[in-house]
Amino acid sequence: MKSNDLNVKVTESQLETEEKGTEEESTRESDSNILDVSSDYPREKHISIQRHLADLEKLADLKEGELTMAVSQNTDLHVTDEKKPCPLCPEEKYKACYSHKLHRHLQNLHWKVSVEFEGYRMCICHLPCHPVKPNFIGDQTFAKMGAHYHCIVCSATITRRTDMISHINRHVNKGETESRFIIVPAPMSSHEVLKESATEVRVLPNYSTPQKSDSYFNPKMKLNRQLIFCALAALAEERKPIECLDAFGATGIMGLQWAKHLRSSVKVTINDCNENSVTMIQENCHLNKMKVKLNAREEDNYEAMGDGEENTDTIEVTKMDANVIMHLRSFDFIHLDPFGTSVNYLDSAFCNVRNFGIVSLTSTDISSLYAKAQHVALRHYGCNIVRTEYYKELAARIVIAAVTRAAARCNKGIDVLLSVALEHFVLVVVRVLRGPSPADDSAKKIRYLIHCQWCEERIFQKEGNMVEENPYQQLPCDCHGSMPGKTAVVLGPLWSGALFNTGFLRRMFFEAAHYGLDEAQSLLKTLVCEAECTTLKPYSIYSSYDENKQEECGVYIKTPNTSAESLLIHGKRKSEEVVQNAGKRQKSENSAEHPAFYYNIHRHSIKGMNMPKLNKFLSYLCEAGYRVSRTHFDPMGVRTNAPLAQFKTILMKYSAPTYTGGQSEGPLHLAEGVQAGEQVEAAADSKVEDDTESVEYDKSEVAATTLAKACPTYCAAD
């Protein structure tokens, strides 16, 4: 017995030695640093992750255990002649078999359905390392062994092969190509460098897909970034320096553009709650030769500025939740650009924003704002909406209403400076006015909208708390009287005030021209005409920029020709009251703001008539005495204060009939009908002359009958 125990101990030590030798050989064979099974790591790689099929067969030799080794030493039988179990299947699922059958089993069941990554194969595993719910049948319990894969990067267990491929692709898109036990940064070769507005940023693969990349960068939002930059540059002319926050940095492209172009006029803070994004922002700051400040202290080990040139631009990078940093600190300019809706961050944004500061937000949840998911709009914004012809402006007014309510909860009012709704986003820029009185004035502009479902006419409900007996009387149309049932819906609550500030838009256009932002210039030119509700597009920005004293919300803005006495002196209560009273007086004197909503000329066209060109139709409305302009919300939209009935009347007046086939409409076809009547008379004359055996034939009667069928309008006129 002692000798037998000694033999068993010897075999155990030999088995451990051979296992260690096998692991060392496999480690030496690996060319990459993805897996390392050294003793310092807490876990080793799973046996289902191998390079070659022969490695799985070697594992079968090791899994035979002590009994096989003992038998091989005491007898003359070879190990290869013995039955071997599958290393990736339990004994209940696959019993031990000879080597040729085991080879076929490993190749067909495990190796063919494996997932390849960096030269390794993640084979399917049937071992009980994946938790599966047991099945209870009668008094017996059957624990089903679930097939699964082991991730080579994070050691997660995935059941489906397609899910495993998607899981590995997500690791690659995030730059995670190393093992979870090896803390090595992702190779820089996998990062792509993009350039926008003289600012370079390094991005990850699939950077334009937010679900697959931590550092999201969308090239289609270039126009959005230019508009926000122009708004910040216009604010920087009022006071210097201003503290601005990019609450959702991602790659940091927006904050880098602020700091690179505005220099000492701004103090930029870029925030993000994702650690990978914060690392990417720091790398992009070094790429643009800017210093990085972490947690209000300057980073010690930053990269060299290059060429001996020292750059004094410093960007503060923080890793916090957006609500936390806006609660902790005060800013002059805050931009919110989350993925989706921004209503969850409005209360924090207005909590500590400084007086006369600016809050801009970009909402990308267009499915709910554009009435494709109405229940989501009701849940996020508390608004009841339907799909209308003016749905983009409706979306902008929904967002402004949510901003107004959030500001009013903090005893602040707003002045809308800019509202843009394009294909991919809705951008709103507002100025903050501190005090309960501005808050009350802004809250009064949130009203409900009555929309007619038949003719697309719309009007805001009248102010007051009294219930009206017949709300249909407020609509200019008479669809409810001529049609049975309910013909209108109540939408909202919505913002009913102005969507633009003309003075601020002119200053933004000046900044866009100064920095050479071509895309923003063309859009801002349209916005200025839309804010003034005029068709006079070409104008000199430098002359119009100095025409009027730039006064917004009672604040005199510094312009190139403005004297120092007209500027607001902060800290003096008396001067603030005087300037605010002047602003109220100017507002009462000039109360003509741009009309709400617009009409699409194609939606209200008359069937069978050719509409006039859009520019000519605008001139026809102007000649009729109405204010009119084009709108950026719709390329074929017309913003006017004319009612829909008058709009259709003018459109009908200057529309030409369509000539299609034998159909003819209107008095303009009279000459055509006369020619047809003359041809019929000639045919009747020839018939009477040729047919000698016929009775008396009334030529005029035949001609009149045929003409009535060919041209009823001509006969009715005759």
Side-chain angles (χ1 to χ4, degrees):
M1 294 293 295
K2 291 182 180 179
S3 62
N4 293 336
D5 295 338
L6 183 60
N7 291 334
V8 172
K9 291 179 181 179
V10 171
T11 55
E12 288 179 355
S13 61
Q14 292 177 356
L15 179 61
E16 292 176 359
T17 305
E18 292 183 3
E19 288 180 353
K20 291 181 180 179
T22 306
E23 291 176 356
E24 291 176 359
E25 290 177 1
S26 61
T27 305
R28 295 191 201 100
E29 291 176 357
S30 60
D31 298 329
S32 63
N33 294 328
I34 295 178
L35 293 173
D36 192 355
V37 290
S38 61
S39 59
D40 296 336
Y41 296 127
R43 290 177 58 186
E44 299 177 354
K45 68 172 181 176
H46 196 264
I47 59 175
S48 63
I49 304 173
Q50 299 295 334
R51 278 187 176 273
H52 307 285
L53 179 60
D55 297 336
L56 284 178
E57 296 179 356
K58 292 179 182 179
L59 290 176
D61 296 335
L62 298 176
K63 196 178 179 183
E64 284 184 286
E66 304 171 359
L67 181 62
T68 304
M69 296 299 297
V71 172
S72 64
Q73 288 182 355
N74 296 334
T75 61
D76 295 334
L77 296 175
H78 297 285
V79 178
T80 56
D81 297 333
E82 294 295 329
K83 293 183 178 181
K84 303 176 184 178
C86 176
L88 300 180
C89 295
E91 296 181 0
E92 298 84 10
K93 180 177 177 61
Y94 187 80
K95 296 182 180 180
C97 61
Y98 292 104
S99 58
H100 65 283
K101 290 186 178 180
L102 180 62
H103 174 78
R104 188 164 58 248
H105 167 78
L106 292 174
Q107 184 177 11
N108 296 334
L109 185 65
H110 297 282
W111 193 257
K112 281 188 176 181
V113 293
S114 60
V115 178
E116 187 176 0
F117 177 74
E118 296 287 344
Y120 282 87
R121 291 291 190 98
M122 292 170 280
C123 303
I124 191 169
C125 174
H126 294 271
L127 297 176
C129 47
H130 185 73
V132 179
K133 294 182 180 180
N135 297 327
F136 296 94
I137 302 177
D139 297 335
Q140 298 180 354
T141 303
F142 296 93
K144 183 180 179 181
M145 300 302 175
H148 56 276
Y149 295 87
H150 291 266
C151 179
I152 194 173
V153 179
C154 64
S155 300
T157 55
I158 310 296
T159 55
R160 296 175 180 267
R161 185 175 184 273
T162 54
D163 296 342
M164 187 68 208
I165 296 174
S166 302
H167 180 79
I168 287 295
N169 290 335
R170 282 194 292 270
H171 282 305
V172 175
N173 295 334
K174 293 180 180 180
E176 299 173 357
T177 57
E178 306 291 337
S179 173
R180 62 177 297 186
F181 305 118
I182 304 176
I183 307 176
V184 178
M188 302 301 292
S189 59
S190 63
H191 294 178
E192 183 181 356
V193 177
L194 302 178
K195 188 173 183 180
E196 179 181 301
S197 300
T199 305
E200 296 180 349
V201 290
R202 184 177 288 113
V203 296
L204 295 174
N206 285 348
Y207 52 85
S208 60
T209 308
Q211 295 89 349
K212 297 182 179 180
S213 178
D214 293 335
S215 299
Y216 178 54
F217 178 81
N218 190 358
K220 296 180 181 179
M221 302 292 283
K222 179 181 178 181
L223 179 59
N224 179 45
R225 287 186 282 269
Q226 290 184 358
L227 292 174
I228 296 167
F229 174 81
C230 294
L232 179 61
L235 180 65
E237 295 296 328
E238 303 176 14
R239 46 192 174 187
K240 297 179 182 179
I242 58 175
E243 298 184 17
C244 49
L245 170 68
D246 183 9
F248 300 89
T251 58
I253 175 66
M254 191 174 297
L256 288 170
Q257 291 177 356
W258 298 348
K260 195 161 189 176
H261 295 289
L262 299 179
R263 298 281 179 174
S264 59
S265 301
V266 295
K267 295 181 179 179
V268 180
T269 301
I270 306 177
N271 176 72
D272 204 291
C273 61
N274 191 300
E275 186 174 358
N276 295 334
S277 297
V278 172
T279 305
M280 184 69 65
I281 293 170
Q282 297 176 16
E283 294 177 359
N284 290 331
C285 290
H286 299 325
L287 185 63
N288 290 274
K289 300 178 181 180
M290 294 185 181
K291 295 182 180 179
V292 179
K293 187 183 293 184
L294 296 175
N295 297 329
R297 62 180 180 82
E298 193 170 324
E299 188 182 9
D300 297 330
N301 50 353
Y302 58 87
E303 294 182 2
M305 294 297 124
D307 298 333
E309 181 183 358
E310 185 176 358
N311 196 338
T312 58
D313 298 334
T314 304
I315 295 179
E316 182 179 354
V317 181
T318 58
K319 180 180 176 296
M320 295 184 191
D321 186 83
N323 287 321
V324 174
I325 189 172
M326 288 187 292
H327 271 291
L328 292 177
R329 297 173 53 183
S330 299
F331 295 95
D332 299 288
F333 185 90
I334 296 176
H335 177 63
L336 303 175
D337 188 9
F339 179 67
T341 181
S342 56
V343 293
N344 300 328
Y345 307 95
L346 294 179
D347 291 332
S348 304
F350 287 99
C351 182
N352 282 331
V353 63
R354 294 191 176 99
N355 196 20
F356 301 116
I358 288 180
V359 175
S360 67
L361 58 135
T362 302
S363 298
T364 55
D365 55 334
I366 57 176
S367 60
S368 60
L369 290 174
Y370 290 173
K372 295 179 181 178
Q374 302 174 7
H375 61 286
V376 181
L378 183 62
R379 184 170 71 244
H380 287 169
Y381 300 94
C383 290
N384 177 36
I385 57 175
V386 295
R387 184 79 170 189
T388 61
E389 65 171 331
Y390 51 93
Y391 65 94
K392 288 188 177 181
E393 183 171 344
L394 205 65
R397 293 185 181 276
I398 290 173
V399 176
I400 298 174
V403 171
T404 305
R405 289 191 294 267
R409 285 192 290 269
C410 300
N411 286 334
K412 294 182 177 70
I414 66 166
D415 175 43
V416 181
L417 305 178
L418 172 68
S419 301
V420 174
L422 298 178
E423 182 180 359
H424 303 287
F425 64 91
V426 176
L427 173 64
V428 172
V429 180
V430 299
R431 187 187 292 275
V432 180
L433 309 175
R434 182 173 295 176
S437 297
D440 294 339
D441 296 338
S442 300
K444 290 178 182 178
K445 295 182 181 180
I446 300 179
R447 294 154 64 184
Y448 285 92
L449 181 75
I450 303 177
H451 171 80
C452 181
Q453 294 279 58
W454 289 99
C455 65
E456 297 276 346
E457 184 62 282
R458 75 296 304 239
I459 191 171
F460 282 105
Q461 276 189 351
K462 297 179 181 178
E463 297 182 5
N465 299 325
M466 302 302 293
V467 179
E468 190 171 355
E469 182 179 359
N470 186 11
Y472 292 100
Q473 294 179 355
Q474 298 184 22
L475 284 170
C477 64
D478 57 346
C479 296
H480 179 66
S482 59
M483 306 240 179
K486 297 180 180 179
T487 59
V489 292
V490 178
L491 308 180
L494 308 171
W495 171 260
S496 62
L499 295 177
F500 313 99
N501 189 300
T502 307
F504 193 82
L505 288 176
R506 290 181 181 275
R507 294 164 54 206
M508 287 181 61
F509 183 74
F510 175 80
E511 299 296 339
H514 177 71
Y515 290 99
L517 306 177
D518 298 333
E519 296 182 12
Q521 282 187 60
S522 59
L523 178 59
L524 287 171
K525 190 179 296 184
T526 304
L527 292 177
V528 170
C529 297
E530 186 176 0
E532 297 179 344
C533 200
T534 179
T535 56
L536 301 177
K537 259 194 170 181
Y539 64 93
S540 175
I541 184 61
Y542 299 101
S543 61
S544 60
Y545 187 71
D546 303 329
E547 275 181 6
N548 57 346
K549 303 289 184 181
Q550 297 294 333
E551 184 178 356
E552 301 166 9
C553 310
V555 182
Y556 284 99
I557 307 303
K558 183 179 179 180
T559 58
N561 294 339
T562 312
S563 60
E565 292 115 21
S566 63
L567 298 178
L568 176 66
I569 304 174
H570 293 280
K572 294 187 178 182
R573 184 174 181 180
K574 184 176 180 181
S575 62
E576 289 183 2
E577 293 178 355
V578 171
V579 173
Q580 288 180 0
N581 292 334
K584 292 179 180 179
R585 184 170 58 254
Q586 183 188 9
K587 187 175 181 180
S588 61
E589 292 173 357
N590 187 15
S591 59
E593 62 183 25
H594 55 271
F597 300 114
Y598 54 90
Y599 300 103
N600 187 294
I601 190 173
H602 283 294
R603 291 286 293 268
H604 300 285
S605 61
I606 296 92
K607 185 177 181 181
M609 305 288 284
N610 283 334
M611 299 180 304
K613 297 295 184 181
L614 183 58
N615 292 333
K616 290 185 178 180
F617 180 69
L618 296 179
S619 62
Y620 296 151
L621 283 174
C622 289
E623 292 173 1
Y626 296 104
R627 300 178 62 198
V628 63
S629 70
R630 303 187 70 168
T631 176
H632 81 281
F633 292 112
D634 190 352
M636 298 303 296
V638 178
R639 184 179 297 278
T640 178
N641 59 346
L644 183 59
Q646 192 66 22
F647 182 90
K648 289 184 176 181
T649 301
I650 298 176
L651 185 62
M652 177 66 182
K653 180 180 178 181
Y654 294 99
S655 296
T658 305
Y659 302 95
T660 56
Q663 297 179 358
S664 57
E665 268 185 50
L668 295 178
H669 296 271
L670 183 60
E672 212 172 43
V674 171
Q675 293 178 1
E678 293 175 356
Q679 293 177 1
V680 171
E681 287 186 2
D685 290 336
S686 63
K687 184 174 182 181
V688 171
E689 291 174 359
D690 295 338
D691 195 0
T692 57
E693 298 178 0
S694 62
V695 295
E696 288 186 350
Y697 187 79
D698 192 352
K699 180 174 60 176
S700 61
E701 189 174 341
V702 172
T705 305
T706 312
L707 180 60
K709 294 180 180 179
C711 185
T713 307
Y714 169 71
C715 295
D718 190 31

Coordinates of all heavy atoms in Angstrom, one line a residue, residues 60 63-64 68 82-86 89-99 101-102:
A60 N -7.1 16.8 -24.5 CA -7.8 15.5 -24.2 C -6.8 14.5 -23.5 O -7.2 13.7 -22.6 CB -8.3 14.9 -25.5
K63 N -6.7 15.5 -19.9 CA -7.9 15.3 -19.1 C -8.2 13.8 -18.8 O -9.1 13.5 -18.1 CB -9.1 15.9 -19.9 CG -10.4 16.1 -19.1 CD -11.5 16.7 -19.9 CE -12.7 16.8 -19.0 NZ -13.9 17.3 -19.8
E64 N -7.4 12.9 -19.3 CA -7.6 11.5 -19.0 C -7.4 11.2 -17.5 O -8.0 10.3 -17.0 CB -6.7 10.6 -19.8 CG -7.1 10.5 -21.3 CD -6.2 9.5 -22.0 OE1 -5.1 9.9 -22.3 OE2 -6.6 8.4 -22.3
T68 N -5.4 7.0 -16.2 CA -4.8 6.6 -17.4 C -3.3 6.6 -17.3 O -2.6 5.8 -17.9 CB -5.2 7.7 -18.5 OG1 -6.7 7.7 -18.5 CG2 -4.7 7.3 -19.9
E82 N -6.0 4.2 -25.7 CA -7.1 4.3 -24.7 C -8.2 5.3 -25.2 O -7.9 6.1 -26.1 CB -6.5 4.8 -23.4 CG -5.5 3.8 -22.8 CD -6.2 2.5 -22.4 OE1 -7.5 2.6 -22.0 OE2 -5.6 1.4 -22.4
K83 N -9.3 5.2 -24.6 CA -10.4 6.1 -24.9 C -10.2 7.4 -24.2 O -9.8 7.4 -23.1 CB -11.7 5.5 -24.5 CG -12.1 4.3 -25.3 CD -13.5 3.8 -24.9 CE -13.9 2.6 -25.7 NZ -15.3 2.1 -25.3
K84 N -10.4 8.5 -24.9 CA -10.2 9.8 -24.4 C -11.5 10.6 -24.3 O -12.3 10.6 -25.2 CB -9.2 10.6 -25.3 CG -7.9 9.9 -25.5 CD -7.0 10.7 -26.5 CE -5.7 9.9 -26.7 NZ -4.9 10.6 -27.7
P85 N -11.7 11.4 -23.2 CA -12.9 12.2 -23.1 C -12.7 13.5 -23.8 O -11.6 14.0 -24.1 CB -13.0 12.4 -21.6 CG -11.6 12.4 -21.1 CD -10.9 11.4 -22.0
C86 N -13.8 14.2 -24.2 CA -13.7 15.5 -24.8 C -13.4 16.6 -23.7 O -14.0 16.6 -22.7 CB -15.1 15.8 -25.5 SG -15.1 17.5 -26.2
C89 N -16.6 19.0 -23.3 CA -17.9 18.4 -23.0 C -17.9 17.7 -21.7 O -16.9 17.0 -21.4 CB -18.4 17.5 -24.2 SG -18.6 18.4 -25.7
P90 N -18.9 17.7 -20.9 CA -19.0 16.9 -19.7 C -19.2 15.4 -20.1 O -19.6 15.0 -21.2 CB -20.2 17.4 -19.0 CG -21.1 18.0 -20.0 CD -20.2 18.5 -21.1
E91 N -18.9 14.5 -19.2 CA -19.0 13.1 -19.4 C -20.4 12.6 -19.7 O -20.7 11.7 -20.4 CB -18.4 12.3 -18.3 CG -16.9 12.5 -18.0 CD -16.4 11.7 -16.9 OE1 -17.2 10.9 -16.3 OE2 -15.2 11.8 -16.6
E92 N -21.4 13.3 -19.1 CA -22.8 13.0 -19.3 C -23.2 13.3 -20.8 O -24.1 12.6 -21.3 CB -23.7 13.8 -18.4 CG -23.5 13.5 -16.9 CD -22.3 14.3 -16.4 OE1 -21.9 15.2 -17.1 OE2 -21.9 14.1 -15.2
K93 N -22.6 14.2 -21.4 CA -23.0 14.6 -22.8 C -22.2 13.8 -23.8 O -22.7 13.4 -24.8 CB -22.7 16.1 -23.0 CG -23.1 16.6 -24.4 CD -22.9 18.1 -24.5 CE -23.2 18.6 -25.9 NZ -24.6 18.3 -26.3
Y94 N -20.9 13.6 -23.6 CA -20.1 12.9 -24.5 C -19.1 12.0 -23.8 O -18.3 12.4 -23.0 CB -19.3 13.9 -25.4 CG -18.5 13.3 -26.5 CD1 -19.2 12.9 -27.7 CD2 -17.2 13.0 -26.4 CE1 -18.5 12.3 -28.8 CE2 -16.5 12.4 -27.5 CZ -17.2 12.1 -28.6 OH -16.5 11.5 -29.7
K95 N -19.3 10.7 -24.0 CA -18.4 9.7 -23.3 C -17.1 9.6 -24.0 O -16.9 10.0 -25.2 CB -19.1 8.3 -23.3 CG -20.4 8.3 -22.5 CD -21.1 7.0 -22.5 CE -22.4 7.0 -21.7 NZ -23.0 5.6 -21.7
A96 N -16.1 9.0 -23.3 CA -14.8 8.9 -23.8 C -14.8 7.9 -25.0 O -15.5 6.9 -25.1 CB -13.9 8.3 -22.8
C97 N -14.0 8.3 -26.1 CA -13.9 7.5 -27.3 C -12.5 7.4 -27.8 O -11.6 8.1 -27.2 CB -14.9 8.0 -28.3 SG -14.5 9.7 -28.8
Y98 N -12.3 6.7 -28.8 CA -10.9 6.6 -29.4 C -10.5 7.9 -30.1 O -11.4 8.8 -30.4 CB -10.8 5.4 -30.3 CG -11.0 4.1 -29.6 CD1 -12.1 3.4 -29.7 CD2 -9.9 3.6 -28.9 CE1 -12.3 2.2 -29.0 CE2 -10.0 2.4 -28.2 CZ -11.2 1.7 -28.3 OH -11.3 0.5 -27.6
S99 N -9.3 8.0 -30.4 CA -8.7 9.3 -30.9 C -9.3 9.7 -32.2 O -9.5 10.9 -32.5 CB -7.2 9.2 -31.0 OG -6.9 8.1 -31.9
K101 N -12.3 9.2 -33.4 CA -13.7 9.7 -33.2 C -13.6 11.0 -32.5 O -14.4 11.9 -32.7 CB -14.5 8.7 -32.4 CG -14.9 7.4 -33.2 CD -15.8 6.5 -32.4 CE -16.2 5.3 -33.2 NZ -17.2 4.5 -32.4
L102 N -12.7 11.1 -31.5 CA -12.6 12.4 -30.8 C -12.1 13.5 -31.7 O -12.6 14.7 -31.6 CB -11.6 12.2 -29.7 CG -11.3 13.4 -28.8 CD1 -12.6 13.9 -28.1 CD2 -10.2 13.2 -27.8

